[in-house]
Amino acid sequence: MKIIDKKTIAEYLNTSITNFSIEELESLIEIPPQNINYSYAFPVYRLAKFEKKAPNLIAEDLKEKLVLPEYLDEIEAKGPYLNFRVNTFTILNNIYELNQDYGKIREITEKGRFNPLKIVIEYPAPNTNKPLHLGHVRNMLLGNSLSQILAYKGHEVFQVNLNNDRGIHICKSMLAYKKWGNNEEPKERKSDHFVGDYYIKYSQKEEEDENLIDEAMDLLKLWEEGDPNTRALWKKMNSWAIKGFEETYKKFGISFDKEYFESDFYLKGKNKIIGGLEEGIFEKKDDGAIIVRLNEGYNLPDKVLLRSDGTSIYITQDIYLAYLKKEDFDYDESIYVVGNEQDLYFKQLFAVLEIIGFKEQKYHLSYGMISLPEGKMKSREGTVIDADDIIEQMNNLAYKEVNKRYPSLDKGKKNKRAEIIGMAALRFFILKFNPKSDFVFNPKESISFEGETGPYIQYCYARIESIINKSNEKIDLNINFKLLNHEKELILIKQLNYFPEIIDIVVKTYGIHLIPQYLLSLCQEFNSFYGSCQVISEDKDLERARLLLIKCVQIVIKIGLNLLGIETLEEM
RNA sequence: AGGGGCGUAGCCGAGGGGAUAAGGCGGCGGACUUCUAAUCCGCAGAUCGUAGGUUCAAGUCCUACCGUCCCUACCA
């Protein structure tokens, strides 16, 4: 077993090229365009300075000088490029031997150098006055998928949630329920939606009656004073909201190691701030508010940490929560999955934490907003894509498709299959975009099972399964690797080799979309191979070679999909 | 107004300074008596927002401008 990546090639080249270090060489090595059947390329331009020759001559000379190692099938000098093709046996052997661990080949082959970390991931931090919407869906899918990727890589991951369960927005839905709810219970209505209905009700009524906000403020005051009736109502409505959230989390396969509640500690952050004031790290303004100066050293706007009336604001609690999470999990790194509208806020939070000596590794996984063709989603106006609705729509559409293909299938099986396909479509659709970019969700056009979709990847997996089932040959490594020399096969093998590198880049850059993008390329290449190469054949040696190849494709698809939280299907 | 992000075909969108700028949707034309057509093959469609600059090489780096979104709360 041997990992072949840019670093391997760099180390190899370093034996002949002495003007550059291994690291420099590694950064120069690139992956050739799709239509070139070589795994890695080294452009020789940079050597021209030393060699004083035309690049194409340098490449040719270098090729002559290099001795082909056992893990390379071929080196080609083409124009100013030196191209390397990794040995087919090495790649397929790695995959077949490691199976579901293939993405961890580096950790496995370099055991002593891997340092597992304790990582806390906080998401999706909902407000308990309304149900989860499409923005939360993106948040949950990113948070959950990143958790799985890091855990796959051997880190100890703790998923935690912060419930924003107090404040004026909560009191708004409480007030509406008090005034117009007639003490009703959710019953058939999903309980978080039931709560959300009152939030919308409040917003509608507020337009007619501008004094309504004063009543909500009064309710907030009562809540803060601990008025028993208000607290009882709050408790009841919050439990409805949270119960509803839990049902939704379950659909996404999310479970938390710990749930935090803002109401438990919103009063507790003050000590840290007052301590900082006493140490002279923070300043008290004339009106009594405590602020931190961030312009020097951080080039950020100053930030209020405690109101002039001594009450805490969001950052007060977030500072406290950082310590609390450290106490609970003794983590090495803390990741916050929060939308990019809070980029500045997180820069400020991390700066303050650093100033007060809380030096643990922190990362804000920032993602772009989802909007609708009509514009921004607004819960208050009810113009949101609801998380539960979108799941149901996906399931229904998947059911129709399953039903069309397998009308005689047992209803329970149809449902189960539709659920897996529908969820794959949703997850893949959201995760295939670069997390950083905003995107417009067009409900009419976005829901599709054709083209670049989750079902497309699942279909590819099922097709392979079907071939394997039809063949009578055994799959093992005892094949003639030279038989895999069709253009489509070489492209597929080349792509398979990149997978562990892709996972490494995802972990380093948090670019989760690279996994869906990779899977799309792999499956497109497989389907193209499928169109021009028959696996089951009279030529049993060829059949066995191709079976191993497609088995390896299947293994990689499964790892990739599982990292995205998507299940595979053996038939569809 | 200041700060940050983004601008790639009709639409969506990948691009780790280097080879002819992926792929999907939509459009047009083909392929199921052959391993699952949720598929594949072919065609059409891009002065990569504009103008400069750095470099042997720029969609990618720098500057300015234009457009767009977000932030600039003692809200969360």
Side-chain angles (χ1 to χ4, degrees):
Chain A
M1 196 177 311
K2 177 165 176 61
I3 181 168
I4 314 294
D5 57 10
K6 284 186 180 180
K7 198 173 158 204
T8 320
I9 305 294
E11 283 165 358
Y12 167 62
L13 278 178
N14 192 241
T15 57
S16 300
I17 301 171
T18 49
N19 310 67
F20 297 100
S21 69
I22 292 174
E23 290 72 28
E24 284 169 320
L25 286 171
E26 190 182 342
S27 72
L28 290 174
I29 290 164
E30 53 195 66
I31 289 167
Q34 242 170 358
N35 52 342
I36 289 171
N37 272 333
Y38 291 84
S39 321
Y40 297 97
F42 177 68
V44 302
Y45 302 99
R46 293 283 294 275
L47 293 175
K49 225 183 276 178
F50 306 102
E51 308 261 338
K52 309 226 185 291
K53 273 190 294 195
N56 55 334
L57 292 178
I58 299 174
E60 277 170 31
D61 288 355
L62 206 49
K63 190 198 153 178
E64 293 307 312
K65 240 179 13 185
L66 289 165
V67 181
L68 203 65
E70 77 287 349
Y71 55 84
L72 290 181
D73 270 352
E74 197 191 335
I75 298 177
E76 176 201 53
K78 186 168 186 191
Y81 293 92
L82 210 53
N83 293 326
F84 305 88
R85 177 151 55 236
V86 179
N87 173 269
T88 302
F89 166 76
T90 307
I91 298 170
L92 298 189
N93 179 58
N94 284 343
I95 299 170
Y96 193 72
E97 289 288 312
L98 290 174
N99 205 307
Q100 295 303 299
D101 289 334
Y102 175 54
K104 301 185 253 191
I105 184 166
R106 180 171 293 288
E107 286 76 8
I108 290 165
T109 53
E110 300 176 9
K111 243 184 191 126
R113 291 167 57 187
F114 174 65
N115 179 25
L117 302 172
K118 289 185 181 175
I119 301 171
V120 171
I121 302 189
E122 180 186 307
Y123 73 97
N127 293 331
T128 56
N129 62 338
K130 53 177 193 277
L132 304 167
H133 57 67
L134 192 58
H136 294 110
V137 172
R138 190 177 203 187
N139 182 303
M140 290 188 279
L141 295 182
L142 287 170
N144 186 237
S145 193
L146 183 62
S147 301
Q148 307 212 52
I149 293 162
L150 293 171
Y152 175 75
K153 277 294 202 176
H155 299 293
E156 195 174 352
V157 179
F158 305 99
Q159 302 179 70
V160 305
N161 186 19
L162 167 62
N163 290 283
N164 295 297
D165 64 343
R166 57 157 286 280
I168 186 66
H169 51 293
I170 310 293
C171 291
K172 287 176 179 176
S173 42
M174 281 162 61
L175 180 68
Y177 179 78
K178 239 175 116 165
K179 288 174 95 82
W180 303 291
N182 302 319
N183 261 314
E184 280 184 40
E185 301 270 322
K187 292 181 198 145
E188 303 96 60
R189 183 81 167 135
K190 189 162 174 281
S191 57
D192 51 340
H193 290 244
F194 183 80
V195 174
D197 292 343
Y198 287 100
Y199 186 65
I200 294 168
K201 183 100 180 163
Y202 172 90
S203 305
Q204 288 164 347
K205 293 283 180 182
E206 192 189 31
E207 293 196 1
E208 303 158 16
D209 177 6
E210 54 188 31
N211 295 325
L212 209 55
I213 184 68
D214 296 331
E215 286 186 60
M217 292 297 279
D218 290 342
L219 202 57
L220 180 60
K221 197 169 277 171
L222 282 173
W223 184 88
E224 283 176 355
E225 287 163 1
D227 171 61
N229 286 337
T230 307
R231 286 286 177 139
L233 173 63
W234 169 75
K235 232 176 185 162
K236 185 164 79 173
M237 291 185 74
N238 263 351
S239 71
W240 288 339
I242 287 160
K243 180 169 167 278
F245 295 164
E246 273 164 8
E247 288 167 29
T248 309
Y249 298 148
K250 204 172 163 194
K251 292 181 205 165
F252 284 108
I254 295 172
S255 65
F256 296 106
D257 294 282
K258 180 147 188 177
E259 294 239 20
Y260 292 101
F261 297 89
E262 189 192 344
S263 57
D264 283 342
F265 56 80
Y266 81 107
L267 293 171
K268 291 185 181 163
K270 288 183 193 174
N271 292 342
K272 299 271 178 230
I273 310 300
I274 291 165
L277 182 67
E278 283 162 1
E279 285 173 47
I281 300 170
F282 304 141
E283 288 177 33
K284 195 169 205 162
K285 289 211 303 183
D286 294 341
D287 61 8
I290 297 177
I291 65 160
V292 59
R293 299 259 178 225
L294 296 172
N295 48 349
E296 291 160 33
Y298 292 95
N299 199 21
L300 293 169
D302 297 343
K303 180 79 185 161
V304 172
L305 301 175
L306 208 57
R307 288 197 189 95
S308 48
D309 65 5
T311 59
S312 57
I313 52 175
Y314 198 75
I315 195 167
T316 328
Q317 306 160 37
D318 246 347
I319 290 166
Y320 180 80
L321 184 57
Y323 283 92
L324 189 56
K325 285 192 285 190
K326 178 72 185 171
E327 210 172 283
D328 288 342
F329 299 104
D330 192 31
Y331 61 76
D332 301 297
E333 183 176 2
S334 179
I335 298 171
Y336 299 76
V337 185
V338 183
N340 64 8
E341 72 274 10
Q342 294 197 44
D343 283 358
L344 175 61
Y345 171 77
F346 274 96
K347 280 183 195 155
Q348 290 176 317
L349 173 66
F350 292 169
V352 175
L353 284 170
E354 198 176 286
I355 288 171
I356 60 180
F358 189 86
K359 305 255 187 235
E360 266 63 4
Q361 184 74 27
K362 301 166 277 286
Y363 184 79
H364 172 204
L365 176 55
S366 163
Y367 59 89
M369 302 213 328
I370 300 183
S371 56
L372 301 175
E374 310 84 75
K376 210 175 159 175
M377 293 193 284
K378 292 196 181 99
S379 301
R380 272 171 292 142
E381 297 169 19
T383 58
V384 289
I385 301 288
D386 179 81
D388 298 306
D389 288 352
I390 186 83
I391 293 171
E392 202 188 321
Q393 281 178 43
M394 290 293 200
N395 281 354
N396 289 346
L397 189 60
Y399 188 90
K400 257 187 226 160
E401 296 289 327
V402 171
N403 198 36
K404 198 163 75 192
R405 276 160 250 256
Y406 300 95
S408 59
L409 199 69
D410 165 280
K411 188 147 191 214
K413 277 188 185 153
K414 278 185 200 164
N415 272 325
K416 179 76 189 148
R417 203 178 282 187
E419 225 170 82
I420 291 171
I421 294 170
M423 195 43 106
L426 179 57
R427 296 186 94 114
F428 200 88
F429 175 72
I430 303 274
L431 291 173
K432 80 175 178 195
F433 294 106
N434 189 326
K436 285 197 196 108
S437 44
D438 294 345
F439 75 84
V440 177
F441 182 81
N442 188 331
K444 288 188 202 81
E445 294 169 13
S446 299
I447 302 176
S448 162
F449 294 170
E450 286 170 21
E452 298 179 325
T453 64
Y456 175 87
I457 311 291
Q458 289 175 315
Y459 180 69
C460 189
Y461 184 95
R463 268 186 151 179
I464 294 172
E465 187 64 27
S466 169
I467 298 171
I468 290 172
N469 285 338
K470 285 229 164 91
S471 170
N472 296 317
E473 297 299 312
K474 207 171 141 240
I475 302 176
D476 56 34
L477 288 163
N478 189 21
I479 62 154
N480 181 357
F481 289 89
K482 294 230 160 33
L483 293 176
L484 297 174
N485 61 2
H486 191 279
E487 190 197 351
K488 303 284 184 187
E489 291 167 335
L490 294 177
I491 291 175
L492 212 40
I493 292 162
K494 167 186 167 184
Q495 186 73 6
L496 285 171
N497 183 54
Y498 296 140
F499 183 69
E501 259 177 294
I502 296 289
I503 302 298
D504 287 343
I505 297 169
V506 170
V507 169
K508 227 189 305 186
T509 64
Y510 302 89
I512 294 167
H513 67 298
L514 294 176
I515 296 175
Q517 297 293 345
Y518 172 85
L519 290 174
L520 284 171
S521 304
L522 183 67
C523 290
Q524 278 163 355
E525 285 159 8
F526 170 78
N527 279 324
S528 181
F529 158 83
Y530 184 94
S532 42
C533 299
Q534 180 80 15
V535 175
I536 293 171
S537 132
E538 294 295 312
D539 181 346
K540 290 300 162 192
D541 287 336
L542 184 62
E543 177 172 334
R544 285 166 45 73
R546 285 182 169 165
L547 274 175
L548 177 67
L549 173 61
I550 66 171
K551 181 66 197 173
C552 288
V553 172
Q554 205 192 30
I555 288 168
V556 172
I557 291 173
K558 192 184 177 100
I559 305 171
L561 284 181
N562 287 167
L563 292 177
L564 304 175
I566 296 172
E567 291 177 63
T568 53
L569 285 166
E570 312 214 314
E571 190 190 354
M572 70 182 276

